[in-house]
Amino acid sequence: MFNFIVGTKDGTVGPNFARSDGEGDDRLAHILTEASHMMKTPTGPVTNDDSRSNEDSSSPRTQCPSPFSNKDSSQNRRLKKYENDDIPQEKVVRIYQEELAKIMTRRVEDMRHSREGFPGGGMPPHMERPPEDIRMALEAYHRELAKMQPGANLPNLPNLPNLHGLPGVPGVPPFPNLLALQQQALQANQHMNGAGAVQDLSLPKDKNAKMNGMTDSDKDKPMDAEEAIRHAGSAFSLVRPKLEPGQSTGSSASSPLGNAILPPAITPSEDFGGSAAASPLQRMASITNSLISQPSNPPHHPPPQRSMKAVLPPITQQQFDLFNNLNTEEIVRRVKEALSQYSISQRLFGESVLGLSQGSVSDLLARPKPWHMLTQKGREPFIRMKMFLEDDNAVHKLVASQYKIAPEKLMRTGNYSGAPPCPPNMNKPMPPTQKMISDATSLLSKMQQEQLLSSGHLGHLGQPAPLLLTPPGFPPHHAVTLPPQHHDNNKERKPPPPPQPLHQPPVMRGMHQHISPSVYEMAALTQDLDTQTITTKIKEALLANNIGQKIFGEAVLGLSQGSVSELLSKPKPWHMLSIKGREPFIRMQLWLSDAHNIDRLQALKNERREANKRRRSSGPGQDNSSDTSSNDTSEFYHSSSPGPTSGVPSAKKQRVLFSEEQKEALRLAFALDPYPNMPTIEFLAAELGLSTRTITNWFHNHRMRLKQQAPHGLPSEPPARDQSSAPFDPVQFRLLLNQRLLELHKERMGLAGVPLPYPPYFAANSNFAALIGRGLLPPEEQTKDTPSGLDLSMPLKREPDGDDFEDDDVESNLGSEDSLDDDSKTEPKAASTPAGRSNRRKPAAPQWVNPDWQDEKPRNPDEVIINGVCVMRSDDFRREAEETVRVEPSPVPREPSPSPSPVQPSPHTHSPEVLPEDKIKTENEDDRWEY
DNA sequence: TGCTAGTCAATACC
DNA sequence: GGTATTGACTAGCA
């Protein structure tokens, strides 16, 4: 289904996108071009129920959110905030008018087709929209226009009968450029659906075309034998889409590869009824969507289930004969290599190539059975994998699909050669170094051309500084230095003439389809990037030029301020990042290499400031909000769209705010068991008066953030549950918690300096005392002021395997946690990776990282260079361990606890011993606790 | 099903 | 008006 996208976040906020009044027309044209690109040929609606599609649409942030989805409010807000932000109202009006023209023109075209005789007679299937809908839409347009320009001279509402009249449509002004763009987009789409379709790898083009007019039942029919035979030999040809019963989808939706580009559909009813709170542009978009898309009554709510599961024709006997003895391990190895190298998800691979679910793929790849142990059925996936590996184009199609890159585009990089494919034969991959360098080089070149230098809105493009990215296989000092690309002006990026419909300008398409994939590719192909240095430079640049994280994040990275803050303050080492996580750093690097980076942002900033000024001065009542954010345009759109929800901005989702007591309780619980099981979670939820979901979230977040905050910037595993200690004990928990709450209470009463007696329990059970300290005190306090001799530190434990940072020496000294526990001493290994949960998973590592690269890691046992910047001295850990004083465990008096619930400080805690003063932290410290 | 990574956005804080 | 923190969420993997 066609979705008119008012603007894309990425497109709008990309480094190449900024606005000035003089270029509003271009921008609008781009908006529309972008929208047109989103439009598929009349092949039927694309369901968005596939989570890949969801991901795709949300990740590149281009979706036009359904007003019914949970994310809507925020998404809507974001759309408004990022895209329509400061478009003058008159521009909005014009867009409306242009869209009207578009609709009319399309309608006229449709009618003409109809009269000229569409195959099958009558109207083409996608045109079967009743005139009432058209009228409704047009009226909606006019309503919107009227709302914005009450006195404006609006184009006449054309009489519907006139739609049938050909060349001219009364009241509709000609918009040749617009129509040209539209036309181009249509051609592009035809191209996309034809040879080299980006998306649909499962369907041959003719089939695809055939299915354009299919009914659902048609689509459910199996591929005819001839078709199957004809396409045998390609792994993809084996894949057949299976539509879920009752699902109304078009052909393109049937493949997981076929719906990647399109954002979620919006149905007419949603358009006209449910989008009142959206901005005018969004409403217009919705209207347009509903008009241009089809069928006229698509499912109101896109089904949440997967739209497609590949149904593969059985492997023929011939194929079995051909592959009668496969080395499953080897196949699996190569498949994993391919998937990781190109960052193809198991799900995509499974569904597209094997016809299996992600879980099955994972299982197959993790534990391939030897060939002779497999049944015929069990061998099938391996045969398909083999065929996949031997299909030179398969991986590229899959990559193209995953990244939403036109295969043609991949070909242009010079490495993903299409047909005839050069070495991408996965059997003999090009030497990584050579391949990566050429990939990186071409990609960099491409990116510089298309991304960095396409930002024409702010003025003349200059010579970018050399881009310094280290190509894989090269040490950092061998960074690729690309010759600066020169672009005279934006016109270079104007759409080329129709013969190359896919070669669209990257502007607006920008991050989403064209650029983002490249960044993605760059992230995958760049072996090393000094994230620390990059962020330092970024911070300096922003600081020096008084540019906020918010605008930088939105304009350059496509991220929110909070994310930028985290990235800049806690950059992860490159090789610890997934490809997705690398993207922002690639963008930062690119931004740094842009000679006009600051200028562009400054201009954008000024523009926003001006827009805000205009907004404020646009009249009384227009700005009745607090206007805390200069970039938040929601009020602008709300004030200009007096619908039923006018003045009622979508309710802000209120975040749960934990009380200090709750936080203490959670920290304590975490110290006791960082991986609580469900009963524990439920207990905590009940105890703290929170939902289990909240508890789970907190533990997840806490583990993740603990990991991020490891000493010396060294990412670390969260503490593992001590195997020797009992599982989470509610009684102990309550007891300890009461103690902690009493401390808190005393702090609040201003008695922080008063020695706080230890409860007997603490004296008796040093484990829990240590746990309390380790779990509840910030590391800096834990390590620097611990006169009691009781080690309250909680050195962050790491898993003994896998990690690049892994350093045996360090590892052996990380377990000071063990030193606290006599039992764990007896089985140190088990304690460091308790059987419970902490060793269930591999340490997080980028899935795609080439194992060969990891051999280059420094091996000095005392010093680990991280990302070329951070140096971790294992001495630090050793010292911590040495300072640890072991306290022999003593019997624990198990006394019942008062167990207040929800958590309240208990005044009845008894404590003959003294808690060191420095263990009592202030509230303020508490707020600033770091891991 | 449960985990991690990445991210958003509300909120706190400066 | 900026940045930091953090609860919540999604996607993908095992």
Side-chain angles (χ1 to χ4, degrees):
Chain A
M1 180 180 289
F2 167 58
N3 282 272
F4 180 94
I5 300 302
V6 174
T8 69
K9 177 181 176 182
D10 281 343
T12 310
V13 301
N16 52 3
F17 195 86
R19 293 171 293 276
S20 64
D21 283 341
E23 287 158 334
D25 292 352
D26 280 347
R27 180 169 182 245
L28 294 178
H30 286 314
I31 290 173
L32 295 169
T33 309
E34 181 75 355
S36 299
H37 276 290
M38 291 302 183
M39 180 176 63
K40 286 205 138 205
T41 45
T43 57
V46 171
T47 56
N48 59 329
D49 47 2
D50 182 279
S51 62
R52 164 126 300 273
S53 142
N54 287 341
E55 189 260 346
D56 289 337
S57 53
S58 64
S59 163
R61 298 172 188 91
T62 37
Q63 69 188 42
C64 194
S66 155
F68 299 102
S69 81
N70 209 12
K71 286 182 77 173
D72 273 352
S73 57
S74 61
Q75 284 286 8
N76 281 339
R77 280 198 301 275
R78 293 183 61 197
L79 279 170
K80 288 168 206 157
K81 190 187 297 181
Y82 296 150
E83 291 147 20
N84 310 335
D85 201 357
D86 30 25
I87 305 174
Q89 197 161 331
E90 57 269 25
K91 298 260 168 66
V92 177
V93 169
R94 264 195 44 211
I95 296 178
Y96 266 94
Q97 292 172 341
E98 290 173 357
E99 283 308 301
L100 269 172
K102 193 193 297 181
I103 293 168
M104 301 312 297
T105 310
R106 283 187 66 89
R107 187 67 186 170
V108 166
E109 286 290 312
D110 298 346
M111 294 301 171
R112 192 184 56 188
H113 282 167
S114 167
R115 281 211 309 260
E116 288 171 2
F118 191 82
M123 272 191 254
H126 69 290
M127 300 309 179
E128 292 170 0
R129 184 171 293 286
E132 292 73 28
D133 280 5
I134 305 291
R135 183 184 293 280
M136 270 179 65
L138 294 173
E139 283 171 1
Y141 267 104
H142 282 269
R143 271 200 306 276
E144 292 303 329
L145 285 167
K147 282 175 200 165
M148 288 182 296
Q149 288 194 331
N153 212 0
L154 301 177
N156 298 327
L157 181 66
N159 293 325
L160 282 174
N162 283 345
L163 291 169
H164 299 273
L166 242 182
V169 177
V172 179
F175 292 96
N177 294 336
L178 188 68
L179 296 178
L181 286 168
Q182 183 91 359
Q183 191 61 33
Q184 201 171 12
L186 282 169
Q187 287 170 352
N189 277 304
Q190 280 161 7
H191 184 96
M192 299 275 279
N193 274 349
V198 183
Q199 311 299 309
D200 195 343
L201 304 181
S202 64
L203 290 172
K205 57 190 170 188
D206 47 347
K207 189 76 182 176
N208 207 12
K210 267 191 223 168
M211 291 184 76
N212 287 350
M214 274 184 178
T215 64
D216 293 344
S217 55
D218 288 333
K219 283 171 247 164
D220 279 333
K221 290 177 186 164
M223 179 190 274
D224 56 71
E226 178 197 334
E227 201 74 3
I229 290 166
R230 186 144 52 90
H231 295 281
S234 160
F236 287 108
S237 67
L238 301 172
V239 184
R240 279 276 299 137
K242 180 182 78 182
L243 294 172
E244 314 248 331
Q247 195 168 2
S248 174
T249 72
S251 63
S252 57
S254 58
S255 164
L257 315 175
N259 56 3
I261 285 184
L262 296 181
I266 293 183
T267 64
S269 49
E270 287 166 340
D271 300 340
F272 299 139
S275 58
S279 75
L281 281 175
Q282 286 173 290
R283 288 197 298 275
M284 176 187 66
S286 301
I287 293 164
T288 308
N289 289 342
S290 69
L291 276 175
I292 303 179
S293 61
Q294 64 339 108
S296 48
N297 58 344
H300 189 82
H301 297 287
Q305 321 92 318
R306 299 251 168 97
S307 63
M308 172 275 182
K309 252 189 188 170
V311 175
L312 307 178
I315 303 281
T316 63
Q317 190 55 49
Q318 197 180 2
Q319 286 165 325
F320 273 117
D321 294 342
L322 191 62
F323 305 106
N324 57 10
N325 189 13
L326 295 178
N327 182 344
T328 55
E329 277 195 27
E330 169 68 9
I331 287 174
V332 160
R333 185 188 61 75
R334 279 165 48 196
V335 165
K336 283 203 274 193
E337 207 170 76
L339 298 190
S340 74
Q341 179 171 5
Y342 293 95
S343 199
I344 297 166
S345 73
Q346 292 181 345
R347 204 190 109 202
L348 179 65
F349 177 73
E351 291 185 350
S352 303
V353 179
L354 304 183
L356 297 174
S357 67
Q358 175 271 323
S360 305
V361 174
S362 171
D363 203 45
L364 276 179
L365 296 183
R367 290 170 288 276
K369 282 186 185 170
W371 186 255
H372 67 271
M373 290 181 67
L374 291 165
T375 63
Q376 177 131 324
K377 185 167 170 49
R379 288 176 178 176
E380 280 190 19
F382 292 99
I383 292 175
R384 295 188 204 279
M385 284 187 225
K386 178 73 174 170
M387 290 163 69
F388 171 80
L389 292 170
E390 292 188 343
D391 180 351
D392 293 328
N393 285 321
V395 73
H396 302 111
K397 287 182 188 171
L398 215 44
V399 167
S401 160
Q402 173 133 326
Y403 294 160
K404 301 173 287 298
I405 307 167
E408 165 196 308
K409 191 164 159 42
L410 284 175
M411 293 168 203
R412 286 208 309 270
T413 68
N415 289 287
Y416 305 96
S417 57
C422 36
N425 188 341
M426 299 308 292
N427 298 327
K428 280 193 173 181
M430 194 189 285
T433 303
Q434 181 192 340
K435 173 160 173 49
M436 294 300 175
I437 289 172
S438 69
D439 280 355
T441 307
S442 62
L443 284 167
L444 282 166
S445 171
K446 185 170 60 180
M447 289 169 75
Q448 284 199 312
Q449 287 175 27
E450 296 184 353
Q451 178 176 352
L452 274 181
L453 304 178
S454 63
S455 46
H457 288 78
L458 284 176
H460 197 77
L461 293 162
Q463 304 265 344
L467 192 55
L468 291 172
L469 295 174
T470 308
F474 275 61
H477 61 276
H478 282 126
V480 172
T481 304
L482 292 172
Q485 311 275 337
H486 184 72
H487 291 250
D488 286 335
N489 52 47
N490 304 332
K491 286 176 182 161
E492 277 191 19
R493 290 174 301 285
K494 290 271 166 144
Q500 301 171 310
L502 260 187
H503 200 275
Q504 293 297 320
V507 186
M508 282 310 293
R509 276 173 70 82
M511 305 293 207
H512 178 44
Q513 284 173 252
H514 225 61
I515 298 307
S516 186
S518 298
V519 175
Y520 215 71
E521 290 172 280
M522 277 306 304
L525 296 170
T526 303
Q527 184 198 350
D528 194 20
L529 202 55
D530 191 335
T531 57
Q532 186 74 51
T533 300
I534 289 175
T535 52
T536 303
K537 285 179 183 168
I538 294 283
K539 279 188 279 189
E540 283 168 3
L542 297 185
L543 196 64
N545 296 281
N546 198 25
I547 293 169
Q549 292 176 347
K550 184 177 164 66
I551 197 167
F552 175 75
E554 289 170 5
V556 178
L557 306 182
L559 297 175
S560 65
Q561 177 271 324
S563 301
V564 174
S565 174
E566 286 212 344
L567 282 176
L568 293 183
S569 58
K570 290 165 268 187
K572 285 186 186 173
W574 183 250
H575 62 280
M576 292 295 290
L577 292 162
S578 70
I579 292 185
K580 190 159 182 251
R582 289 175 172 187
E583 260 190 80
F585 292 99
I586 292 280
R587 292 187 198 279
M588 284 187 223
Q589 176 65 66
L590 289 166
W591 184 80
L592 284 171
S593 67
D594 177 6
H596 295 277
N597 50 12
I598 298 294
D599 298 343
R600 298 184 208 281
L601 279 188
Q602 291 286 13
L604 182 58
K605 194 174 152 188
N606 292 337
E607 207 178 310
R608 285 190 172 187
R609 195 181 297 144
E610 289 305 311
N612 284 331
K613 270 188 202 166
R614 282 200 301 273
R615 211 169 295 159
R616 288 202 188 90
S617 59
S618 62
Q622 289 276 326
D623 184 16
N624 53 1
S625 75
S626 60
D627 192 21
T628 52
S629 167
S630 61
N631 300 316
D632 191 336
T633 53
S634 56
E635 39 125 334
F636 170 73
Y637 287 106
H638 282 122
S639 62
S640 61
S641 53
T645 56
S646 173
V648 187
S650 50
K652 269 189 180 180
K653 188 175 62 182
Q654 202 143 16
R655 212 176 69 184
V656 172
L657 288 178
F658 295 141
S659 69
E660 278 310 305
E661 287 78 16
Q662 286 170 324
K663 283 184 192 171
E664 287 293 335
L666 287 167
R667 290 184 191 115
L668 171 60
F670 187 90
L672 292 170
D673 184 357
Y675 294 88
N677 55 22
M678 207 51 209
T680 303
I681 288 172
E682 281 164 0
F683 164 79
L684 290 170
E687 196 80 348
L688 306 181
L690 298 166
S691 71
T692 55
R693 179 78 182 159
T694 300
I695 301 289
T696 312
N697 281 338
W698 186 89
F699 273 85
H700 285 170
N701 286 328
H702 201 69
R703 283 195 297 266
M704 291 301 100
R705 283 159 186 160
L706 196 73
K707 205 169 176 178
Q708 282 177 10
Q709 298 285 336
H712 311 288
L714 175 68
S716 169
E717 292 297 304
R721 180 165 55 187
D722 193 331
Q723 196 182 32
S724 61
S725 59
F728 187 89
D729 180 346
V731 175
Q732 292 166 352
F733 169 77
R734 284 173 173 157
L735 203 60
L736 291 164
L737 184 58
N738 283 340
Q739 168 65 24
R740 266 310 292 168
L741 295 180
L742 181 66
E743 292 166 16
L744 266 183
H745 187 66
K746 290 193 70 167
E747 288 163 18
R748 288 179 182 167
M749 302 291 287
L751 303 173
V754 177
L756 183 71
Y758 260 125
Y761 182 85
F762 270 47
N765 190 325
S766 61
N767 290 341
F768 280 112
L771 278 171
I772 285 279
R774 285 180 294 164
L776 300 182
L777 288 173
E780 58 270 28
E781 289 183 44
Q782 294 164 4
T783 51
K784 66 186 176 196
D785 303 315
T786 316
S788 69
L790 187 65
D791 182 13
L792 299 178
S793 69
M794 182 166 57
L796 298 168
K797 186 181 293 297
R798 295 183 302 149
E799 299 284 3
D801 63 322
D803 197 301
D804 294 332
F805 295 135
E806 208 48 69
D807 180 318
D808 291 339
D809 200 21
V810 172
E811 168 65 21
S812 65
N813 289 288
L814 274 176
S816 61
E817 183 178 0
D818 299 343
S819 65
L820 292 166
D821 188 326
D822 200 43
D823 293 341
S824 62
K825 272 291 177 192
T826 61
E827 27 182 28
K829 211 58 194 174
S832 65
T833 56
R837 295 166 178 251
S838 61
N839 60 350
R840 280 185 304 205
R841 301 177 69 86
K842 289 192 300 186
Q847 301 129 19
W848 55 273
V849 169
N850 186 331
D852 297 341
W853 301 341
Q854 323 230 341
D855 295 337
E856 297 163 19
K857 299 289 167 194
R859 284 297 162 207
N860 182 333
D862 288 329
E863 200 168 275
V864 180
I865 297 172
I866 301 162
N867 203 21
V869 177
C870 309
V871 176
M872 181 193 75
R873 290 190 56 80
S874 52
D875 283 344
D876 298 339
F877 294 96
R878 202 173 287 125
R879 189 163 51 250
E880 277 183 25
E882 283 163 0
E883 287 168 359
T884 299
V885 175
R886 269 182 53 203
V887 180
E888 297 297 325
S890 314
V892 180
R894 308 279 174 139
E895 44 187 286
S897 116
S899 70
S901 176
V903 170
Q904 290 296 332
S906 165
H908 302 299
T909 312
H910 33 279
S911 321
E913 293 205 6
V914 175
L915 182 69
E917 224 175 274
D918 50 277
K919 291 291 165 288
I920 304 173
K921 58 180 181 50
T922 65
E923 261 188 274
N924 214 16
E925 285 167 340
D926 185 51
D927 289 338
R928 286 295 176 193
W929 270 353
E930 291 187 346
Y931 304 109

